[in-house]
Amino acid sequence: MQKIINEIKLDFDDVLIRPKRSFLNSRSEVCIHREFGFKYSPRKLNIIPIMVANMDTVGTFAMAKTLSQQGLITCLHKHYSSQQYIDFYTSNNEINKDLVFYSVGTSEKDINKTVDIFTKIQEFKPYPNICLDVANGYTENFVKIAHKLRKLFPASVIMAGNVVTQEMTEELIMHGQADIVKVGIGSGSVCTTRLKTGVGYPQLSAVMECADAAHGLGGHVCSDGGCKVVGDICKAFGGNSDFVMLGSMFAGTNECEGEWQYDLSKKVSLKFYGMSSKEAMHKHYNGVAEYRTSEGKAVIVPYKGGAEEIVQDILGGLRSACTYIGATKIKDFGKKTTFIQVNNTHNRIFE
Ligand code: 5GP
């Protein structure tokens, strides 16, 4: 029998956060750091729970340097060489390595590379945080690999995804033994999965539902993809996401790597592309394999200056949102949020 779910699922653009009376007098009273404990990893992290995506343009060593100084997380892309990772983790480069996630896919090559690197850096940085990342987290093999990584690296904070539904969130926490489940399919700025496959799930509902499942089991979720403005980040936290991952909002900052366009040696714009785009596959895998299609696109984004400025803007917005809803700390954001379903989020007269 064919099925249809009639309840309408929501995206960030379908809601606003309702303001509430509060005792907060100033944005400076808001704490946007959060201390995390994890279900499996014994590690504690005291951080601002915002992550830069492990895309090869934004998930760079330079990004890690800037963001770790601000208390935010960088998920490094997986295309650096083993030696580059080893140098990164073993050198005294003023980067707090707890604020970095090492990315890995499910291929044997990826796992072997991880084991090799982690063995060599053991003395300097035992059990780095791991981001086990695939486009489709619904395969049996994916859960097995997550579990295998947990056995190999029991003390690592392991984030695994992407999924968008409760049963797979539960599966990844219970049997994959992931600490954090990454949520989002088709919501990304340079993602074309919804166009190429018709598959997806509105991001806000996905986050709310997966967070509910994860929190019931002592796990966490990270909302990945679809934040276009700072308000969307606030809405993701409002939907009970523990972490929020961003790609496009950091694309075009100084810390990015890739094809820059220059005008008289000044950066003007950057080519930003999905990690499943034709561009990425040509760069890293010698082209698009015959049996698949690209599920990402390339765009040109304007130069935005230093990542620090983007961080300021995000944290300012988050603090302000906290004062509007009476959340003294980011941890309470979800608890304090009531959403209103809307037809219109803002005035577009000057857009
Ligand atoms: P953004 O913050 O730019 O909206 O979304 C970033 C997220 O988009 C990434 O963290 C990743 O989950 C997703 N993404 C990146 N590249 C691709 C791609 O080529 N295809 C798809 N389907 N998703 C992508």
Side-chain angles (χ1 to χ4, degrees):
M1 194 182 87
Q2 286 181 331
K3 280 195 186 159
I4 185 157
I5 296 167
N6 291 116
E7 180 196 347
I8 294 196
K9 304 290 176 179
L10 302 172
D11 251 314
F12 298 134
D13 284 345
D14 297 317
V15 299
L16 287 170
I17 300 169
R18 196 184 72 176
K20 289 179 184 161
R21 295 201 61 170
S22 88
F23 289 106
L24 278 165
N25 291 314
S26 155
R27 288 159 205 198
S28 60
E29 294 171 21
V30 173
C31 174
I32 43 176
H33 276 76
R34 178 171 164 190
E35 166 115 22
F36 284 92
F38 297 95
K39 183 170 176 73
Y40 296 102
S41 168
R43 190 160 292 151
K44 294 264 185 286
L45 287 183
N46 191 350
I47 50 154
I48 297 172
I50 292 178
M51 303 182 165
V52 166
N54 53 347
M55 301 165 77
D56 63 3
T57 38
V58 293
T60 63
F61 291 140
M63 192 66 80
K65 183 158 189 183
T66 301
L67 262 55
S68 76
Q69 281 156 7
Q70 311 268 326
L72 280 72
I73 292 175
T74 304
C75 296
L76 295 172
H77 69 74
K78 65 175 194 178
H79 300 290
Y80 287 122
S81 70
S82 297
Q83 195 54 50
Q84 284 175 302
Y85 286 115
I86 292 166
D87 291 346
F88 173 81
Y89 279 109
T90 58
S91 64
N92 185 9
N93 47 15
E94 296 164 33
I95 299 172
N96 177 354
K97 313 293 186 320
D98 278 345
L99 297 181
V100 168
F101 277 65
Y102 172 93
S103 297
V104 56
T106 49
S107 72
E108 214 180 309
K109 194 172 148 218
D110 269 19
I111 306 287
N112 291 342
K113 182 176 171 188
T114 309
V115 172
D116 179 50
I117 293 168
F118 283 21
T119 311
K120 289 182 176 144
I121 64 172
Q122 177 79 12
E123 252 178 71
F124 299 85
K125 175 66 193 150
Y127 299 118
N129 305 320
I130 298 172
C131 171
L132 171 62
D133 189 31
V134 293
N136 172 7
Y138 281 79
T139 64
E140 192 70 16
N141 188 44
F142 182 61
V143 181
K144 281 192 193 144
I145 302 271
H147 186 254
K148 181 174 169 177
L149 283 175
R150 171 61 64 206
K151 289 279 156 291
L152 284 167
F153 310 114
S156 288
V157 175
I158 299 181
M159 174 163 70
N162 280 19
V163 300
V164 283
T165 51
Q166 294 197 310
E167 86 285 1
M168 212 53 211
T169 301
E170 288 161 354
E171 179 72 11
L172 279 170
I173 293 170
M174 290 168 77
H175 298 125
Q177 301 197 335
D179 295 302
I180 309 168
V181 175
K182 196 148 69 78
V183 177
I185 290 186
S187 54
S189 58
V190 280
C191 162
T192 56
T193 294
R194 293 182 186 177
L195 301 175
K196 287 286 174 77
T197 68
V199 174
Y201 208 104
Q203 187 64 14
L204 179 66
S205 288
V207 163
M208 291 175 81
E209 291 169 23
C210 294
D212 186 47
H215 295 165
L217 295 171
H220 296 299
V221 294
C222 173
S223 172
D224 176 20
C227 289
K228 304 173 291 303
V229 290
V230 183
D232 292 341
I233 303 173
C234 300
K235 290 172 186 175
F237 283 122
N240 279 326
S241 197
D242 302 285
F243 300 86
V244 178
M245 181 175 274
L246 307 169
S248 58
M249 286 183 70
F250 280 90
T253 56
N254 241 335
E255 287 76 357
C256 291
E257 286 171 11
E259 288 177 42
W260 285 100
Q261 229 95 81
Y262 291 89
D263 183 16
L264 298 176
S265 79
K266 278 197 177 144
K267 287 174 177 167
V268 177
S269 59
L270 172 79
K271 189 190 247 191
F272 177 60
Y273 47 86
M275 294 313 292
S276 303
S277 65
K278 213 166 53 191
E279 282 75 7
M281 288 197 247
H282 277 287
K283 191 164 176 196
H284 302 297
Y285 303 103
N286 297 323
V288 183
E290 229 173 74
Y291 60 88
R292 62 185 293 180
T293 173
S294 74
E295 286 182 28
K297 64 182 174 189
V299 295
I300 302 293
V301 294
Y303 175 62
K304 292 182 187 156
E308 210 178 309
E309 287 171 43
I310 307 288
V311 171
Q312 294 289 317
D313 194 41
I314 291 173
L315 302 191
L318 259 180
R319 282 202 186 90
S320 181
C322 283
T323 60
Y324 272 115
I325 62 171
T328 46
K329 40 186 198 280
I330 188 93
K331 186 166 190 263
D332 292 343
F333 206 104
K335 235 185 331 196
K336 298 275 184 175
T337 296
T338 302
F339 288 117
I340 327 154
Q341 210 176 331
V342 295
N343 290 324
N344 223 331
T345 52
H346 63 286
N347 186 334
R348 292 184 167 79
I349 188 167
F350 292 122
E351 281 178 9

